[in-house]
Amino acid sequence: MLTEADLDALLAGRHADPFSRLGLHADDKGRLWVRALLPGAANVALVDADSGKQLVELEPRRAGFFEAQVPRRKHRFDYRLAVRWAGGGEGV
């Protein structure tokens, strides 16, 4: 899980290496996690780029920051984020 210090630094725009924490990463037990910083997003879902299948909805941890453990996957894969914005727009 992402530490509170990392999250504070990301949200403040002062993290030294934001992409080491954002996106798709394995934890120390080999579980895949996806994290996204999307200010203004209402909902975010992880979509397999090859099949178009939604895999998991990311949970909001703080305003604009979303994360989820990726179920049933052990290896990196191409993905997209399906975003529904607070203003009503949607996009992948």
Side-chain angles (χ1 to χ4, degrees), residues 35-49:
R35 296 181 184 96
L37 182 58
L38 296 164
N43 297 91
V44 181
L46 179 68
V47 176
D48 182 296

Side-chain angles (χ1 to χ4, degrees), residues 1 7 15 18 24-25 27 32 45-46 58 74 76-77:
M1 175 108 20
L7 184 51
H15 196 283
L24 187 64
H25 296 281
D27 65 14
L32 290 178
L46 179 68
L58 281 67
K74 299 207 183 273
R76 294 183 58 83
F77 60 97

Side-chain angles (χ1 to χ4, degrees), residues 37-69:
L37 182 58
L38 296 164
N43 297 91
V44 181
L46 179 68
V47 176
D48 182 296
D50 292 332
S51 70
K53 180 181 176 187
Q54 180 176 315
L55 302 176
V56 66
E57 200 163 315
L58 281 67
E59 295 293 324
R61 186 158 162 194
R62 287 205 210 151
F65 182 82
F66 299 82
E67 69 180 349
Q69 184 178 345

